[in-house]
Amino acid sequence: MHRGKGMKFVGDSRVPAQKKPNIPKDYSEYPGKTEAFWPNFLLKEWMVGAVFLIGYLLLTIAHPSPLERVADPTDATYTPLPDWYFLFLYQLLKYKYAAGDYTLIGTMIIPGIAFGSLLLAPWLDPGPERRPSKRPIAVGMMLLAVISTIFLTWESVVTHDWEKQAKQGEIVEANVDKDAEGYQIYSGQSCIGCHGDSLQGATGPSLLETEKSAEEIMGIAKNGIPPAMPANAFEGSDEELQKLAQFIVETAEANK
Amino acid sequence: MLQRIYDWVDERLDITPLWRDIADHEVPEHVNPAHHFSAFVYCFGGLTFFIVVIQILSGMFLTMYYVPDIVNAWESVYYLQNEVAFGVIVRGMHHWGASLVIVMMFLHTLRVFFQGAYKKPRELNWVVGVLIFFVMLGLGFTGYLLPWDMKALFATKVGLQIAVTIPVIGEMAKTLLAGGEIIGAQTLARFFAIHVFFLPGALLALMGAHFIMIRKQGISGPL
């Protein structure tokens, strides 16, 4: 920085009154022609950005972002799935030597080595050569890591049950008359515990798709379906049972 | 008029060197796709930045409707998605942007790696870049919980179960993130704070360092 006696400043600030010329960085030893960033190159970058933005917006419009039903911590049947870019880590933990007694290998050692060496790459590959062909070990390791990541993600995708995934998270908008007398009986008895507050099912199956008649439903409520549904689940009067069965049939009809 | 306003500010604050660092510099031919089409690989970093800007803007709009508590979180997202004008677009851009930014950052990392552009004197910039990568993964992990739907809750449960297996710090990390024994109200509040304040703060600081180092050193030369 220029300093010394005789310097002129703007007022009593330390901003020099005399402007120095701006000399941009010198790229003259690089081959070919340079181009001014502002405004020539920036305009081209804007065009690439605009094309990218159009694709991005089309994707957004064509595939609205997913929303599953509200989180229910009591649902033990739900199969979890992370977002796609964590699938490779998730899949790694499914292999024998990265799970069970060897969990530490899958959760810490392999990811630790992979991400640690990514972070320290400049010191693991310190030579002056930049061409990939001149540093086969570093390039080979990176290719191996990329291929493994793609392979693990692929394996995770093909082994996952996507139909079940879509079904288990679906938002069920059941048309259930919660003021009906039948619903009072339904929620007063133990039915609601397994079949859900909108008959949508939880640990028990959904009643919204049932095609059974009222008589069959009365029989099931009394005798159960072994082993999942116990017998004598219903503990009310015959008249209430009749109303309950009628309510379930009507609700299933309304939701067809 | 504009020139006079500029001169007025410049006389007092000497902003020209700043302006030069941001805009008034030259772009060498080997990184310019107008001259060599294969130079499109140099776009990935810029596109990553572009998506980050979109993520910040769309995220700011999302917080106008989102309510970070377990009773209202899902309802607020559902409302945003189905009732609010253009809500589906804003949430869609944030959702897809989260995936696209990972893809672009991955491609940018591979470009820098295979060209050996992380070598002396650019080691520090590479380290900062990898830290940005980690922060991005953290943003993805914490943001996934916020809609408070089934996949969000159970993916977070699994993620924290994995964290616990790491000796010594695993348990502490889980307590710090979950705010207690169960994945519940406290966890959602913490993930929201981490996703909206802590990690974006770290991201902006790291990106600032990333860009200052690029301007200081200039772009790496041709192979």
Side-chain angles (χ1 to χ4, degrees), chain A residues 22 25 32-35 37 56 63 65 68 84 118 125 127 135, chain B residues 16 20 26-27 29 32 74 93 96 99 113 118-119 126 149 215:
Chain A
N22 270 312
K25 288 196 167 61
K33 282 202 238 29
T34 58
E35 185 176 24
F37 175 78
Y56 184 177
H63 299 277
S65 43
E68 296 194 340
W84 67 269
L118 189 72
D125 174 28
R135 44 192 189 100
Chain B
T16 298
R20 181 192 63 203
E26 302 205 320
V27 179
E29 184 182 311
N32 192 337
W74 187 86
M93 290 188 83
W96 288 111
S99 291
F113 184 86
Y118 56 85
K119 287 170 177 274
W126 169 266
D149 61 356
R215 287 275 61 84

PDB file of all heavy atoms in Angstrom, chain A residues 22 25 32-35 37 56 63 65 68 84 118 125 127 135, chain B residues 16 20 26-27 29 32 74 93 96 99 113 118-119 126 149 215:
ATOM      1  N   ASN A  22      -6.720   1.085 -12.272  1.00  0.00           N
ATOM      2  CA  ASN A  22      -7.024  -0.311 -11.980  1.00  0.00           C
ATOM      3  C   ASN A  22      -6.425  -1.202 -13.040  1.00  0.00           C
ATOM      4  O   ASN A  22      -6.704  -1.047 -14.234  1.00  0.00           O
ATOM      5  CB  ASN A  22      -8.535  -0.512 -11.981  1.00  0.00           C
ATOM      6  CG  ASN A  22      -9.100  -0.279 -10.614  1.00  0.00           C
ATOM      7  OD1 ASN A  22      -8.578  -0.805  -9.634  1.00  0.00           O
ATOM      8  ND2 ASN A  22     -10.151   0.517 -10.532  1.00  0.00           N
ATOM      9  N   LYS A  25      -6.222  -8.507 -13.579  1.00  0.00           N
ATOM     10  CA  LYS A  25      -5.236  -9.592 -13.545  1.00  0.00           C
ATOM     11  C   LYS A  25      -4.752  -9.921 -14.960  1.00  0.00           C
ATOM     12  O   LYS A  25      -5.506  -9.855 -15.918  1.00  0.00           O
ATOM     13  CB  LYS A  25      -5.862 -10.831 -12.907  1.00  0.00           C
ATOM     14  CG  LYS A  25      -6.045 -10.651 -11.417  1.00  0.00           C
ATOM     15  CD  LYS A  25      -6.291 -11.962 -10.720  1.00  0.00           C
ATOM     16  CE  LYS A  25      -6.160 -11.809  -9.227  1.00  0.00           C
ATOM     17  NZ  LYS A  25      -7.116 -10.851  -8.651  1.00  0.00           N
ATOM     18  N   GLY A  32      -4.861 -18.070 -26.377  1.00  0.00           N
ATOM     19  CA  GLY A  32      -6.132 -17.554 -26.871  1.00  0.00           C
ATOM     20  C   GLY A  32      -6.471 -16.172 -26.357  1.00  0.00           C
ATOM     21  O   GLY A  32      -5.661 -15.494 -25.751  1.00  0.00           O
ATOM     22  N   LYS A  33      -7.703 -15.786 -26.665  1.00  0.00           N
ATOM     23  CA  LYS A  33      -8.152 -14.435 -26.350  1.00  0.00           C
ATOM     24  C   LYS A  33      -8.908 -14.415 -25.032  1.00  0.00           C
ATOM     25  O   LYS A  33      -9.711 -15.297 -24.760  1.00  0.00           O
ATOM     26  CB  LYS A  33      -9.097 -13.955 -27.455  1.00  0.00           C
ATOM     27  CG  LYS A  33      -8.396 -13.504 -28.718  1.00  0.00           C
ATOM     28  CD  LYS A  33      -9.335 -12.588 -29.464  1.00  0.00           C
ATOM     29  CE  LYS A  33      -9.714 -12.949 -30.845  1.00  0.00           C
ATOM     30  NZ  LYS A  33      -9.842 -14.111 -31.501  1.00  0.00           N
ATOM     31  N   THR A  34      -8.685 -13.381 -24.254  1.00  0.00           N
ATOM     32  CA  THR A  34      -9.519 -13.208 -23.064  1.00  0.00           C
ATOM     33  C   THR A  34     -10.728 -12.357 -23.436  1.00  0.00           C
ATOM     34  O   THR A  34     -10.739 -11.680 -24.465  1.00  0.00           O
ATOM     35  CB  THR A  34      -8.747 -12.498 -21.938  1.00  0.00           C
ATOM     36  OG1 THR A  34      -8.304 -11.233 -22.423  1.00  0.00           O
ATOM     37  CG2 THR A  34      -7.561 -13.322 -21.482  1.00  0.00           C
ATOM     38  N   GLU A  35     -11.740 -12.419 -22.564  1.00  0.00           N
ATOM     39  CA  GLU A  35     -12.960 -11.661 -22.803  1.00  0.00           C
ATOM     40  C   GLU A  35     -13.305 -10.944 -21.512  1.00  0.00           C
ATOM     41  O   GLU A  35     -13.104 -11.495 -20.424  1.00  0.00           O
ATOM     42  CB  GLU A  35     -14.084 -12.619 -23.185  1.00  0.00           C
ATOM     43  CG  GLU A  35     -15.359 -11.914 -23.576  1.00  0.00           C
ATOM     44  CD  GLU A  35     -16.430 -12.891 -24.045  1.00  0.00           C
ATOM     45  OE1 GLU A  35     -16.377 -14.074 -23.652  1.00  0.00           O
ATOM     46  OE2 GLU A  35     -17.309 -12.473 -24.789  1.00  0.00           O
ATOM     47  N   PHE A  37     -15.236  -9.837 -18.409  1.00  0.00           N
ATOM     48  CA  PHE A  37     -16.332 -10.478 -17.676  1.00  0.00           C
ATOM     49  C   PHE A  37     -17.570  -9.607 -17.756  1.00  0.00           C
ATOM     50  O   PHE A  37     -18.666 -10.085 -18.004  1.00  0.00           O
ATOM     51  CB  PHE A  37     -15.927 -10.691 -16.209  1.00  0.00           C
ATOM     52  CG  PHE A  37     -17.042 -11.244 -15.368  1.00  0.00           C
ATOM     53  CD1 PHE A  37     -17.362 -12.583 -15.440  1.00  0.00           C
ATOM     54  CD2 PHE A  37     -17.764 -10.430 -14.511  1.00  0.00           C
ATOM     55  CE1 PHE A  37     -18.396 -13.106 -14.676  1.00  0.00           C
ATOM     56  CE2 PHE A  37     -18.796 -10.939 -13.750  1.00  0.00           C
ATOM     57  CZ  PHE A  37     -19.110 -12.284 -13.830  1.00  0.00           C
ATOM     58  N   TYR A  56     -35.634 -26.040 -14.926  1.00  0.00           N
ATOM     59  CA  TYR A  56     -35.902 -26.158 -13.488  1.00  0.00           C
ATOM     60  C   TYR A  56     -37.392 -25.911 -13.210  1.00  0.00           C
ATOM     61  O   TYR A  56     -38.066 -26.689 -12.506  1.00  0.00           O
ATOM     62  CB  TYR A  56     -35.004 -25.120 -12.815  1.00  0.00           C
ATOM     63  CG  TYR A  56     -34.937 -25.013 -11.329  1.00  0.00           C
ATOM     64  CD1 TYR A  56     -34.059 -24.094 -10.749  1.00  0.00           C
ATOM     65  CD2 TYR A  56     -35.703 -25.787 -10.477  1.00  0.00           C
ATOM     66  CE1 TYR A  56     -33.951 -23.948  -9.386  1.00  0.00           C
ATOM     67  CE2 TYR A  56     -35.605 -25.645  -9.104  1.00  0.00           C
ATOM     68  CZ  TYR A  56     -34.738 -24.722  -8.567  1.00  0.00           C
ATOM     69  OH  TYR A  56     -34.630 -24.562  -7.226  1.00  0.00           O
ATOM     70  N   HIS A  63     -43.651 -32.030 -11.823  1.00  0.00           N
ATOM     71  CA  HIS A  63     -43.624 -32.916 -10.649  1.00  0.00           C
ATOM     72  C   HIS A  63     -43.744 -32.103  -9.366  1.00  0.00           C
ATOM     73  O   HIS A  63     -42.731 -31.701  -8.800  1.00  0.00           O
ATOM     74  CB  HIS A  63     -42.327 -33.729 -10.610  1.00  0.00           C
ATOM     75  CG  HIS A  63     -42.133 -34.610 -11.787  1.00  0.00           C
ATOM     76  ND1 HIS A  63     -42.703 -35.856 -11.887  1.00  0.00           N
ATOM     77  CD2 HIS A  63     -41.464 -34.421 -12.946  1.00  0.00           C
ATOM     78  CE1 HIS A  63     -42.388 -36.398 -13.041  1.00  0.00           C
ATOM     79  NE2 HIS A  63     -41.619 -35.541 -13.711  1.00  0.00           N
ATOM     80  N   SER A  65     -43.858 -31.144  -5.574  1.00  0.00           N
ATOM     81  CA  SER A  65     -43.079 -31.822  -4.545  1.00  0.00           C
ATOM     82  C   SER A  65     -43.985 -32.673  -3.671  1.00  0.00           C
ATOM     83  O   SER A  65     -45.127 -32.321  -3.399  1.00  0.00           O
ATOM     84  CB  SER A  65     -42.295 -30.810  -3.715  1.00  0.00           C
ATOM     85  OG  SER A  65     -43.097 -29.713  -3.403  1.00  0.00           O
ATOM     86  N   GLU A  68     -46.298 -36.532   2.212  1.00  0.00           N
ATOM     87  CA  GLU A  68     -46.992 -37.715   2.708  1.00  0.00           C
ATOM     88  C   GLU A  68     -47.921 -37.304   3.838  1.00  0.00           C
ATOM     89  O   GLU A  68     -47.996 -36.132   4.205  1.00  0.00           O
ATOM     90  CB  GLU A  68     -45.971 -38.758   3.183  1.00  0.00           C
ATOM     91  CG  GLU A  68     -45.096 -39.257   2.038  1.00  0.00           C
ATOM     92  CD  GLU A  68     -44.316 -40.504   2.382  1.00  0.00           C
ATOM     93  OE1 GLU A  68     -44.130 -40.779   3.586  1.00  0.00           O
ATOM     94  OE2 GLU A  68     -43.896 -41.199   1.449  1.00  0.00           O
ATOM     95  N   TRP A  84     -32.865 -39.105  -1.787  1.00  0.00           N
ATOM     96  CA  TRP A  84     -32.084 -39.955  -2.705  1.00  0.00           C
ATOM     97  C   TRP A  84     -30.576 -39.810  -2.535  1.00  0.00           C
ATOM     98  O   TRP A  84     -29.837 -40.772  -2.729  1.00  0.00           O
ATOM     99  CB  TRP A  84     -32.501 -39.702  -4.154  1.00  0.00           C
ATOM    100  CG  TRP A  84     -32.151 -38.334  -4.660  1.00  0.00           C
ATOM    101  CD1 TRP A  84     -32.937 -37.236  -4.609  1.00  0.00           C
ATOM    102  CD2 TRP A  84     -30.913 -37.915  -5.238  1.00  0.00           C
ATOM    103  NE1 TRP A  84     -32.276 -36.152  -5.118  1.00  0.00           N
ATOM    104  CE2 TRP A  84     -31.037 -36.529  -5.516  1.00  0.00           C
ATOM    105  CE3 TRP A  84     -29.711 -38.550  -5.555  1.00  0.00           C
ATOM    106  CZ2 TRP A  84     -30.002 -35.794  -6.090  1.00  0.00           C
ATOM    107  CZ3 TRP A  84     -28.697 -37.818  -6.121  1.00  0.00           C
ATOM    108  CH2 TRP A  84     -28.845 -36.467  -6.386  1.00  0.00           C
ATOM    109  N   LEU A 118     -11.465 -37.032   0.773  1.00  0.00           N
ATOM    110  CA  LEU A 118     -11.931 -35.965  -0.125  1.00  0.00           C
ATOM    111  C   LEU A 118     -11.455 -34.606   0.403  1.00  0.00           C
ATOM    112  O   LEU A 118     -10.938 -33.777  -0.344  1.00  0.00           O
ATOM    113  CB  LEU A 118     -13.456 -35.995  -0.207  1.00  0.00           C
ATOM    114  CG  LEU A 118     -14.087 -35.080  -1.260  1.00  0.00           C
ATOM    115  CD1 LEU A 118     -13.847 -35.612  -2.656  1.00  0.00           C
ATOM    116  CD2 LEU A 118     -15.579 -34.901  -1.015  1.00  0.00           C
ATOM    117  N   ASP A 125      -2.552 -36.098  -2.693  1.00  0.00           N
ATOM    118  CA  ASP A 125      -2.104 -36.095  -4.088  1.00  0.00           C
ATOM    119  C   ASP A 125      -1.317 -34.802  -4.303  1.00  0.00           C
ATOM    120  O   ASP A 125      -1.772 -33.877  -4.959  1.00  0.00           O
ATOM    121  CB  ASP A 125      -3.342 -36.160  -4.999  1.00  0.00           C
ATOM    122  CG  ASP A 125      -2.974 -36.021  -6.460  1.00  0.00           C
ATOM    123  OD1 ASP A 125      -1.842 -36.399  -6.831  1.00  0.00           O
ATOM    124  OD2 ASP A 125      -3.815 -35.522  -7.237  1.00  0.00           O
ATOM    125  N   GLY A 127       1.605 -34.003  -5.775  1.00  0.00           N
ATOM    126  CA  GLY A 127       2.508 -33.756  -6.912  1.00  0.00           C
ATOM    127  C   GLY A 127       2.063 -32.568  -7.741  1.00  0.00           C
ATOM    128  O   GLY A 127       0.914 -32.140  -7.664  1.00  0.00           O
ATOM    129  N   ARG A 135      -1.614 -38.821 -13.011  1.00  0.00           N
ATOM    130  CA  ARG A 135      -1.782 -39.137 -11.592  1.00  0.00           C
ATOM    131  C   ARG A 135      -2.833 -40.242 -11.459  1.00  0.00           C
ATOM    132  O   ARG A 135      -3.943 -40.034 -10.975  1.00  0.00           O
ATOM    133  CB  ARG A 135      -2.147 -37.892 -10.782  1.00  0.00           C
ATOM    134  CG  ARG A 135      -3.175 -37.031 -11.435  1.00  0.00           C
ATOM    135  CD  ARG A 135      -3.306 -35.668 -10.771  1.00  0.00           C
ATOM    136  NE  ARG A 135      -4.458 -34.988 -11.330  1.00  0.00           N
ATOM    137  CZ  ARG A 135      -5.655 -34.915 -10.747  1.00  0.00           C
ATOM    138  NH1 ARG A 135      -5.848 -35.431  -9.572  1.00  0.00           N
ATOM    139  NH2 ARG A 135      -6.644 -34.310 -11.337  1.00  0.00           N
TER     140      ARG A 135
ATOM    141  N   THR B  16     -13.880   1.484  -6.310  1.00  0.00           N
ATOM    142  CA  THR B  16     -13.460   0.921  -7.602  1.00  0.00           C
ATOM    143  C   THR B  16     -12.679  -0.393  -7.476  1.00  0.00           C
ATOM    144  O   THR B  16     -12.946  -1.324  -8.233  1.00  0.00           O
ATOM    145  CB  THR B  16     -12.665   1.971  -8.397  1.00  0.00           C
ATOM    146  OG1 THR B  16     -13.541   3.074  -8.635  1.00  0.00           O
ATOM    147  CG2 THR B  16     -12.194   1.419  -9.718  1.00  0.00           C
ATOM    148  N   ARG B  20     -13.786  -3.752  -9.309  1.00  0.00           N
ATOM    149  CA  ARG B  20     -12.901  -4.483 -10.211  1.00  0.00           C
ATOM    150  C   ARG B  20     -12.855  -5.957  -9.828  1.00  0.00           C
ATOM    151  O   ARG B  20     -12.919  -6.839 -10.670  1.00  0.00           O
ATOM    152  CB  ARG B  20     -11.493  -3.900 -10.136  1.00  0.00           C
ATOM    153  CG  ARG B  20     -10.510  -4.587 -11.067  1.00  0.00           C
ATOM    154  CD  ARG B  20      -9.098  -4.188 -10.749  1.00  0.00           C
ATOM    155  NE  ARG B  20      -8.742  -4.626  -9.402  1.00  0.00           N
ATOM    156  CZ  ARG B  20      -7.783  -4.072  -8.681  1.00  0.00           C
ATOM    157  NH1 ARG B  20      -7.098  -3.063  -9.132  1.00  0.00           N
ATOM    158  NH2 ARG B  20      -7.513  -4.548  -7.490  1.00  0.00           N
ATOM    159  N   GLU B  26     -10.891 -10.105 -16.570  1.00  0.00           N
ATOM    160  CA  GLU B  26     -11.000 -10.792 -17.853  1.00  0.00           C
ATOM    161  C   GLU B  26     -11.198 -12.282 -17.656  1.00  0.00           C
ATOM    162  O   GLU B  26     -10.777 -12.847 -16.650  1.00  0.00           O
ATOM    163  CB  GLU B  26      -9.734 -10.523 -18.677  1.00  0.00           C
ATOM    164  CG  GLU B  26      -9.545  -9.023 -18.866  1.00  0.00           C
ATOM    165  CD  GLU B  26      -8.747  -8.699 -20.094  1.00  0.00           C
ATOM    166  OE1 GLU B  26      -7.773  -9.421 -20.373  1.00  0.00           O
ATOM    167  OE2 GLU B  26      -9.106  -7.733 -20.777  1.00  0.00           O
ATOM    168  N   VAL B  27     -11.851 -12.882 -18.662  1.00  0.00           N
ATOM    169  CA  VAL B  27     -12.118 -14.316 -18.610  1.00  0.00           C
ATOM    170  C   VAL B  27     -11.237 -14.981 -19.652  1.00  0.00           C
ATOM    171  O   VAL B  27     -11.364 -14.697 -20.838  1.00  0.00           O
ATOM    172  CB  VAL B  27     -13.602 -14.593 -18.913  1.00  0.00           C
ATOM    173  CG1 VAL B  27     -13.885 -16.082 -18.877  1.00  0.00           C
ATOM    174  CG2 VAL B  27     -14.484 -13.843 -17.927  1.00  0.00           C
ATOM    175  N   GLU B  29      -9.616 -17.620 -22.343  1.00  0.00           N
ATOM    176  CA  GLU B  29     -10.330 -18.362 -23.392  1.00  0.00           C
ATOM    177  C   GLU B  29     -10.656 -19.809 -22.996  1.00  0.00           C
ATOM    178  O   GLU B  29     -11.714 -20.329 -23.326  1.00  0.00           O
ATOM    179  CB  GLU B  29      -9.486 -18.358 -24.676  1.00  0.00           C
ATOM    180  CG  GLU B  29     -10.204 -19.036 -25.832  1.00  0.00           C
ATOM    181  CD  GLU B  29      -9.359 -19.083 -27.106  1.00  0.00           C
ATOM    182  OE1 GLU B  29      -8.815 -18.042 -27.477  1.00  0.00           O
ATOM    183  OE2 GLU B  29      -9.262 -20.160 -27.701  1.00  0.00           O
ATOM    184  N   ASN B  32     -14.021 -20.398 -21.503  1.00  0.00           N
ATOM    185  CA  ASN B  32     -15.134 -19.711 -22.150  1.00  0.00           C
ATOM    186  C   ASN B  32     -15.831 -20.639 -23.143  1.00  0.00           C
ATOM    187  O   ASN B  32     -15.272 -20.953 -24.199  1.00  0.00           O
ATOM    188  CB  ASN B  32     -14.585 -18.475 -22.864  1.00  0.00           C
ATOM    189  CG  ASN B  32     -15.686 -17.549 -23.308  1.00  0.00           C
ATOM    190  OD1 ASN B  32     -16.825 -17.976 -23.481  1.00  0.00           O
ATOM    191  ND2 ASN B  32     -15.330 -16.291 -23.497  1.00  0.00           N
ATOM    192  N   TRP B  74     -47.213 -29.795   9.554  1.00  0.00           N
ATOM    193  CA  TRP B  74     -47.756 -30.492   8.383  1.00  0.00           C
ATOM    194  C   TRP B  74     -48.918 -29.710   7.785  1.00  0.00           C
ATOM    195  O   TRP B  74     -49.013 -29.542   6.574  1.00  0.00           O
ATOM    196  CB  TRP B  74     -48.195 -31.905   8.764  1.00  0.00           C
ATOM    197  CG  TRP B  74     -48.595 -32.719   7.590  1.00  0.00           C
ATOM    198  CD1 TRP B  74     -47.775 -33.450   6.787  1.00  0.00           C
ATOM    199  CD2 TRP B  74     -49.921 -32.857   7.050  1.00  0.00           C
ATOM    200  NE1 TRP B  74     -48.500 -34.044   5.777  1.00  0.00           N
ATOM    201  CE2 TRP B  74     -49.827 -33.694   5.919  1.00  0.00           C
ATOM    202  CE3 TRP B  74     -51.170 -32.357   7.401  1.00  0.00           C
ATOM    203  CZ2 TRP B  74     -50.916 -34.046   5.161  1.00  0.00           C
ATOM    204  CZ3 TRP B  74     -52.267 -32.705   6.635  1.00  0.00           C
ATOM    205  CH2 TRP B  74     -52.145 -33.543   5.516  1.00  0.00           C
ATOM    206  N   MET B  93     -39.844 -25.382  -6.110  1.00  0.00           N
ATOM    207  CA  MET B  93     -38.495 -24.903  -6.429  1.00  0.00           C
ATOM    208  C   MET B  93     -37.538 -25.225  -5.281  1.00  0.00           C
ATOM    209  O   MET B  93     -36.391 -25.614  -5.506  1.00  0.00           O
ATOM    210  CB  MET B  93     -38.511 -23.398  -6.691  1.00  0.00           C
ATOM    211  CG  MET B  93     -39.202 -23.061  -7.988  1.00  0.00           C
ATOM    212  SD  MET B  93     -39.026 -21.348  -8.430  1.00  0.00           S
ATOM    213  CE  MET B  93     -37.430 -21.367  -9.220  1.00  0.00           C
ATOM    214  N   TRP B  96     -37.007 -29.227  -5.418  1.00  0.00           N
ATOM    215  CA  TRP B  96     -36.166 -29.691  -6.522  1.00  0.00           C
ATOM    216  C   TRP B  96     -34.801 -29.023  -6.498  1.00  0.00           C
ATOM    217  O   TRP B  96     -33.794 -29.625  -6.889  1.00  0.00           O
ATOM    218  CB  TRP B  96     -36.870 -29.467  -7.869  1.00  0.00           C
ATOM    219  CG  TRP B  96     -37.996 -30.431  -8.045  1.00  0.00           C
ATOM    220  CD1 TRP B  96     -39.328 -30.144  -8.043  1.00  0.00           C
ATOM    221  CD2 TRP B  96     -37.897 -31.843  -8.198  1.00  0.00           C
ATOM    222  NE1 TRP B  96     -40.065 -31.293  -8.181  1.00  0.00           N
ATOM    223  CE2 TRP B  96     -39.213 -32.349  -8.274  1.00  0.00           C
ATOM    224  CE3 TRP B  96     -36.830 -32.746  -8.260  1.00  0.00           C
ATOM    225  CZ2 TRP B  96     -39.497 -33.713  -8.426  1.00  0.00           C
ATOM    226  CZ3 TRP B  96     -37.110 -34.095  -8.415  1.00  0.00           C
ATOM    227  CH2 TRP B  96     -38.432 -34.560  -8.492  1.00  0.00           C
ATOM    228  N   SER B  99     -32.277 -30.991  -4.589  1.00  0.00           N
ATOM    229  CA  SER B  99     -31.663 -32.098  -5.328  1.00  0.00           C
ATOM    230  C   SER B  99     -30.695 -31.582  -6.380  1.00  0.00           C
ATOM    231  O   SER B  99     -29.588 -32.100  -6.527  1.00  0.00           O
ATOM    232  CB  SER B  99     -32.745 -32.945  -6.003  1.00  0.00           C
ATOM    233  OG  SER B  99     -33.494 -33.642  -5.043  1.00  0.00           O
ATOM    234  N   PHE B 113     -11.696 -31.833  -9.363  1.00  0.00           N
ATOM    235  CA  PHE B 113     -10.807 -32.950  -9.023  1.00  0.00           C
ATOM    236  C   PHE B 113     -10.071 -33.473 -10.256  1.00  0.00           C
ATOM    237  O   PHE B 113      -8.849 -33.587 -10.258  1.00  0.00           O
ATOM    238  CB  PHE B 113     -11.596 -34.092  -8.373  1.00  0.00           C
ATOM    239  CG  PHE B 113     -10.698 -35.207  -7.939  1.00  0.00           C
ATOM    240  CD1 PHE B 113     -10.090 -35.165  -6.701  1.00  0.00           C
ATOM    241  CD2 PHE B 113     -10.400 -36.269  -8.775  1.00  0.00           C
ATOM    242  CE1 PHE B 113      -9.219 -36.159  -6.294  1.00  0.00           C
ATOM    243  CE2 PHE B 113      -9.530 -37.269  -8.389  1.00  0.00           C
ATOM    244  CZ  PHE B 113      -8.936 -37.207  -7.142  1.00  0.00           C
ATOM    245  N   TYR B 118      -7.195 -28.418  -7.617  1.00  0.00           N
ATOM    246  CA  TYR B 118      -7.088 -28.201  -6.169  1.00  0.00           C
ATOM    247  C   TYR B 118      -5.625 -28.139  -5.717  1.00  0.00           C
ATOM    248  O   TYR B 118      -5.349 -27.976  -4.540  1.00  0.00           O
ATOM    249  CB  TYR B 118      -7.809 -29.322  -5.407  1.00  0.00           C
ATOM    250  CG  TYR B 118      -7.329 -30.699  -5.754  1.00  0.00           C
ATOM    251  CD1 TYR B 118      -6.217 -31.253  -5.111  1.00  0.00           C
ATOM    252  CD2 TYR B 118      -7.962 -31.452  -6.740  1.00  0.00           C
ATOM    253  CE1 TYR B 118      -5.753 -32.498  -5.447  1.00  0.00           C
ATOM    254  CE2 TYR B 118      -7.506 -32.699  -7.090  1.00  0.00           C
ATOM    255  CZ  TYR B 118      -6.407 -33.221  -6.429  1.00  0.00           C
ATOM    256  OH  TYR B 118      -5.950 -34.455  -6.772  1.00  0.00           O
ATOM    257  N   LYS B 119      -4.709 -28.307  -6.648  1.00  0.00           N
ATOM    258  CA  LYS B 119      -3.296 -28.361  -6.270  1.00  0.00           C
ATOM    259  C   LYS B 119      -2.748 -26.977  -5.965  1.00  0.00           C
ATOM    260  O   LYS B 119      -3.391 -25.967  -6.231  1.00  0.00           O
ATOM    261  CB  LYS B 119      -2.509 -29.037  -7.384  1.00  0.00           C
ATOM    262  CG  LYS B 119      -2.793 -30.528  -7.412  1.00  0.00           C
ATOM    263  CD  LYS B 119      -2.246 -31.199  -8.625  1.00  0.00           C
ATOM    264  CE  LYS B 119      -2.500 -32.684  -8.573  1.00  0.00           C
ATOM    265  NZ  LYS B 119      -1.447 -33.406  -7.833  1.00  0.00           N
ATOM    266  N   TRP B 126     -10.042 -25.678  -1.993  1.00  0.00           N
ATOM    267  CA  TRP B 126     -10.622 -27.025  -2.071  1.00  0.00           C
ATOM    268  C   TRP B 126     -11.217 -27.428  -0.723  1.00  0.00           C
ATOM    269  O   TRP B 126     -12.337 -27.940  -0.652  1.00  0.00           O
ATOM    270  CB  TRP B 126      -9.539 -28.025  -2.499  1.00  0.00           C
ATOM    271  CG  TRP B 126      -9.959 -29.455  -2.366  1.00  0.00           C
ATOM    272  CD1 TRP B 126      -9.725 -30.279  -1.302  1.00  0.00           C
ATOM    273  CD2 TRP B 126     -10.705 -30.240  -3.320  1.00  0.00           C
ATOM    274  NE1 TRP B 126     -10.263 -31.521  -1.534  1.00  0.00           N
ATOM    275  CE2 TRP B 126     -10.875 -31.525  -2.766  1.00  0.00           C
ATOM    276  CE3 TRP B 126     -11.242 -29.973  -4.579  1.00  0.00           C
ATOM    277  CZ2 TRP B 126     -11.567 -32.552  -3.425  1.00  0.00           C
ATOM    278  CZ3 TRP B 126     -11.930 -30.995  -5.232  1.00  0.00           C
ATOM    279  CH2 TRP B 126     -12.069 -32.258  -4.661  1.00  0.00           C
ATOM    280  N   ASP B 149     -43.989 -34.982   7.738  1.00  0.00           N
ATOM    281  CA  ASP B 149     -44.823 -36.077   7.258  1.00  0.00           C
ATOM    282  C   ASP B 149     -44.137 -37.391   7.586  1.00  0.00           C
ATOM    283  O   ASP B 149     -43.115 -37.410   8.273  1.00  0.00           O
ATOM    284  CB  ASP B 149     -45.136 -35.918   5.756  1.00  0.00           C
ATOM    285  CG  ASP B 149     -43.890 -35.932   4.887  1.00  0.00           C
ATOM    286  OD1 ASP B 149     -42.777 -35.992   5.442  1.00  0.00           O
ATOM    287  OD2 ASP B 149     -44.027 -35.863   3.651  1.00  0.00           O
ATOM    288  N   ARG B 215     -11.167 -14.913  -6.596  1.00  0.00           N
ATOM    289  CA  ARG B 215     -10.800 -13.610  -7.143  1.00  0.00           C
ATOM    290  C   ARG B 215      -9.338 -13.288  -6.874  1.00  0.00           C
ATOM    291  O   ARG B 215      -8.646 -12.696  -7.683  1.00  0.00           O
ATOM    292  CB  ARG B 215     -11.705 -12.515  -6.580  1.00  0.00           C
ATOM    293  CG  ARG B 215     -13.107 -12.512  -7.122  1.00  0.00           C
ATOM    294  CD  ARG B 215     -13.239 -11.737  -8.438  1.00  0.00           C
ATOM    295  NE  ARG B 215     -12.424 -12.289  -9.522  1.00  0.00           N
ATOM    296  CZ  ARG B 215     -12.792 -13.285 -10.301  1.00  0.00           C
ATOM    297  NH1 ARG B 215     -13.977 -13.819 -10.145  1.00  0.00           N
ATOM    298  NH2 ARG B 215     -12.007 -13.736 -11.239  1.00  0.00           N
TER     299      ARG B 215
END
